[in-house]
């Protein structure tokens, strides 16, 4: 298993291109199941999770091919299997995004239940409840959910809580349903908006995407489309923290600062000097960061996917910061590893109290999930000495060539095959 060896201390300098958003690309790829037409997606990041979803679609009979740098051609013409097997769903929960499209277009789907993962139990009851309301018959047996419907019917669905992939699944289901579906308390994330933009290009009739009430007038069929995936706001946020934690000066290009308001607000409060421009963001930091308090929340709140990275920055801040995780139950897996690097963090339930220390120190640490891994990389970049991060396959699920991008900014990072 590969390791990352990082010697900290070098201020990052230069510019780095932000990749396309993993969490927008995943639902956009599964949208290929909704149509006989071809989808041409641009700005798709080359990541393990994208390989996994592509493998899943191919398993169903779809064609998924890389076309040039960042291009992906998806064709759902020959789909003939309607199952997402345990082996694939187990490695990536987002596989559940095939459920809505399959039931909507073929009237049937058999998808393994995702079960628990490192950041909490993460059920899919809201996805299933919505499909049921649209007339699907849902059976759970042998660890699989089977959904059947002659044709889904539009209805009004009120989500109990905001769910990103739940909203995406039902958006895709509603696009081909008979009649009008209204999704209330829908997730507003830019990734949901990006999927809605692709669906609209395919001929779907959607109003209100990006607000918490989304109205979808079903159409009988959807057609081909080309679409460019939005920039990855979490990768961009991670590089912004990398610049700050190393007291560097980094310009992010091909990014979307307008999707990052809450994170940028907190970085500013911490004393980071930010200069946003169209499609770019310059990040500079000279002094030790000030401690800031953060509570994660659905968009436009502070993204849970940036919580671990902000904690790495706060571990070295001047003062005590209180970080509250409200979206997931168990998303503090990075804390024990940060402690190994000399951080001073105490957890009480969903709240972490982080007393900044003047200097983190390198240590052997273990990555546990994608964003926890990112926080360890950041802590290592700001630390004194060398950090060895084990199990970096988590990182490869969501960060495209991270060690190359960091090295180009002057970081001392090596991938070592152990
Ligand atoms: C998406 O996961 C992202 N994944 C996650 O990114 C992200 O952390 C999360 O949204 C929150 O922003 C993708 O987009 C592929 P949710 P998702 O449904 O959709 C509860 C990363 O690092 N819930 O919005 O699975 C759930 O348990 C990842 O890239 C139910 O109770 O998250 C959680 O507490 C990890 N029942 C909350 O809602 C349901 O049916 C929000 O989860 C669905 C969700």
């Amino acid at each position: 298993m590969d390791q990352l060896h990082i010697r900290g201390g070098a201020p990052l300098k230069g510019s780095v291109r932000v990749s396309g958003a993993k969490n927008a690309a995943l639902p956009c790829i599964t949208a290929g199941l909704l149509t006989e037409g071809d989808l041409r997606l641009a700005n798709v990041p080359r990541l393990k999770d994208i390989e996994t979803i592509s493998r899943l679609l191919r398993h169903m009979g779809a064609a998924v091919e890389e076309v040039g740098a960042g291009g992906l051609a998806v064709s759902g013409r020959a789909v003939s299997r309607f199952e997402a097997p345990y082996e694939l769903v187990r490695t990536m929960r987002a596989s559940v995004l095939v459920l809505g499209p399959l039931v909507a277009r073929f009237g049937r789907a058999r998808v393994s239940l995702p079960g628990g993962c490192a950041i909490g139990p993460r059920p899919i009851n809201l996805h299933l409840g919505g499909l049921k309301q649209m007339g699907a018959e849902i059976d759970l047996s042998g660890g699989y959910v089977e959904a059947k419907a002659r044709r889904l019917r539009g209805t009004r669905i009120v989500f109990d809580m905001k769910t990103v992939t739940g909203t995406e699944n039902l958006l895709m289901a509603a696009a081909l349903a008979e009649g009008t579906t209204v999704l209330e308390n829908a997730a507003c994330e830019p990734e949901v908006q990006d999927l809605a933009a692709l669906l609209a290009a395919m001929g779907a009739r959607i109003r209100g995407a990006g607000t918490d009430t989304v109205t979808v007038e079903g159409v009988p069929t959807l057609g081909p489309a080309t679409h460019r995936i939005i920039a990855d706001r979490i990768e961009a946020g991670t590089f912004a923290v990398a610049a700050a934690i190393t007291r560097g000066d980094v310009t992010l290009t091909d990014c979307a600062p307008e999707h990052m308001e809450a994170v940028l607000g907190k970085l500013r409060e911490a004393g980071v000097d930010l200069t946003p421009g169209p499609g770019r963001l310059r990040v500079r930091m000279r002094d030790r960061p000030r401690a800031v308090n953060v509570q994660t929340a659905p968009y436009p709140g502070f993204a849970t996917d940036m919580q671990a990275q902000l904690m790495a920055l706060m571990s070295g801040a001047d003062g005590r910061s209180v970080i509250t995780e409200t979206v997931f139950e168990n998303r503090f897996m990075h804390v024990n590893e940060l402690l190994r690097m000399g951080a001073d963090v105490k957890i009480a339930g969903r709240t972490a109290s982080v007393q900044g220390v003047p200097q983190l120190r390198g240590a052997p640490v273990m990555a546990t999930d994608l964003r926890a891994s990112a926080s360890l990389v950041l802590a290592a970049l700001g630390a004194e000495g060398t950090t060895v991060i084990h199990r970096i396959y988590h990182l490869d699920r969501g960060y495209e060539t991270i060690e190359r991008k960091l090295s180009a900014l002057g970081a001392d990072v090596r991938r070592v095959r152990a």
Side-chain angles (χ1 to χ4, degrees):
M1 259 186 272
D2 291 4
Q3 302 170 345
L4 273 191
H5 291 215
I6 300 179
R7 198 162 56 168
L12 300 193
K13 292 216 156 72
S15 81
V16 60
R17 184 189 171 272
V18 175
S19 298
K22 162 181 87 80
N23 288 348
L26 290 169
C28 286
I29 293 169
T30 64
L33 296 171
L34 285 165
T35 173
E36 289 207 343
D38 292 344
L39 295 191
R40 267 301 180 102
L41 303 176
N43 203 30
V44 178
R46 299 283 181 247
L47 296 170
K48 194 87 200 140
D49 275 9
I50 301 296
E51 268 173 41
T52 306
I53 203 88
S54 302
R55 201 143 47 92
L56 176 56
L57 261 73
R58 284 191 204 107
H59 167 87
M60 294 171 175
V64 184
E65 271 171 51
E66 292 185 4
V67 197
L72 202 71
V74 185
S75 167
R77 191 165 305 121
V79 171
S80 56
R81 247 193 251 166
F82 311 109
E83 183 179 288
Y86 176 65
E87 297 73 52
L88 291 174
V89 181
R90 185 174 56 99
T91 59
M92 190 186 65
R93 290 188 86 263
S95 309
V96 79
L97 282 165
V98 301
L99 184 60
L102 287 178
V103 188
R105 176 161 159 227
F106 301 102
R108 52 198 271 227
R110 187 166 183 270
V111 174
S112 172
L113 285 166
C117 72
I119 62 179
R122 300 180 80 187
I124 57 163
N125 56 313
L126 302 175
H127 307 226
L128 301 182
L131 287 174
K132 232 187 212 166
Q133 274 185 268
M134 297 177 80
E137 232 177 79
I138 308 276
D139 278 320
L140 301 179
S141 69
Y144 278 76
V145 49
E146 267 196 71
K148 283 195 194 125
R150 221 187 262 138
R151 181 159 179 214
L152 294 172
R153 286 186 312 272
T155 184
R156 177 167 173 264
I157 295 166
V158 184
F159 288 103
D160 279 355
M161 60 200 291
K162 300 256 186 194
T163 162
V164 176
T165 50
T167 301
E168 291 165 347
N169 241 336
L170 294 186
L171 202 55
M172 291 190 276
L176 284 182
E178 192 176 339
T180 301
T181 305
V182 181
L183 303 176
E184 306 244 26
N185 196 24
C188 307
E189 269 68 2
E191 293 75 16
V192 175
Q193 297 177 41
D194 200 38
L195 171 66
L198 167 63
L199 294 173
M202 294 165 70
R205 299 206 184 122
I206 300 175
R207 270 179 294 132
T211 72
D212 52 17
T213 303
V214 185
T215 306
V216 188
E217 243 179 86
V219 293
T221 55
L222 293 168
T226 56
H227 177 74
R228 184 178 174 82
I229 303 294
I230 53 168
D232 195 317
R233 63 194 166 104
I234 307 300
E235 190 202 14
T238 304
F239 277 107
V241 174
I245 212 167
T246 60
R247 315 291 186 263
D249 181 352
V250 172
T251 298
L252 312 180
T253 63
D254 283 7
C255 70
E258 66 275 18
H259 293 159
M260 302 168 65
E261 295 289 340
V263 167
L264 299 187
K266 283 296 162 188
L267 291 179
R268 261 196 205 102
E269 201 183 320
V272 184
D273 182 2
L274 298 172
T275 319
R280 52 204 293 129
L281 176 69
R282 184 170 179 190
V283 186
R284 279 174 291 181
M285 183 76 172
R286 229 172 297 140
D287 306 318
R288 192 173 171 195
R290 289 190 288 272
V292 296
N293 297 337
V294 172
Q295 180 157 335
T296 65
Y299 191 80
F302 189 97
T304 171
D305 288 347
M306 276 300 297
Q307 178 259 110
Q309 298 89 314
L310 191 91
M311 192 184 293
L313 184 65
M314 289 299 103
S315 297
D318 187 5
R320 178 183 296 276
S321 93
V322 176
I323 300 179
T324 308
E325 172 59 59
T326 73
V327 179
F328 288 111
E329 279 171 35
N330 188 23
R331 213 173 192 182
F332 284 138
M333 304 286 282
H334 42 287
V335 169
N336 279 333
E337 305 303 306
L338 291 174
L339 294 182
R340 298 175 50 75
M341 299 178 70
D344 178 358
V345 185
K346 291 189 180 63
I347 299 178
R350 290 188 165 205
T351 296
S353 167
V354 185
Q355 176 62 54
V357 297
Q359 182 69 65
L360 294 177
R361 289 180 309 275
V365 292
M366 183 95 80
T368 48
D369 76 59
L370 171 55
R371 307 304 169 187
S373 319
S375 86
L376 298 179
V377 170
L378 295 172
L381 290 170
E384 190 182 86
T386 299
T387 298
V388 176
I389 307 179
H390 298 264
R391 298 206 181 158
I392 56 156
Y393 56 85
H394 292 289
L395 209 56
D396 296 333
R397 293 185 50 190
Y399 290 91
E400 196 175 26
T401 61
I402 189 164
E403 72 272 23
R404 257 191 272 158
K405 287 187 176 184
L406 288 172
S407 303
L409 295 171
D412 185 346
V413 182
R414 271 183 313 128
R415 182 182 286 255
V416 175
R417 285 188 198 282

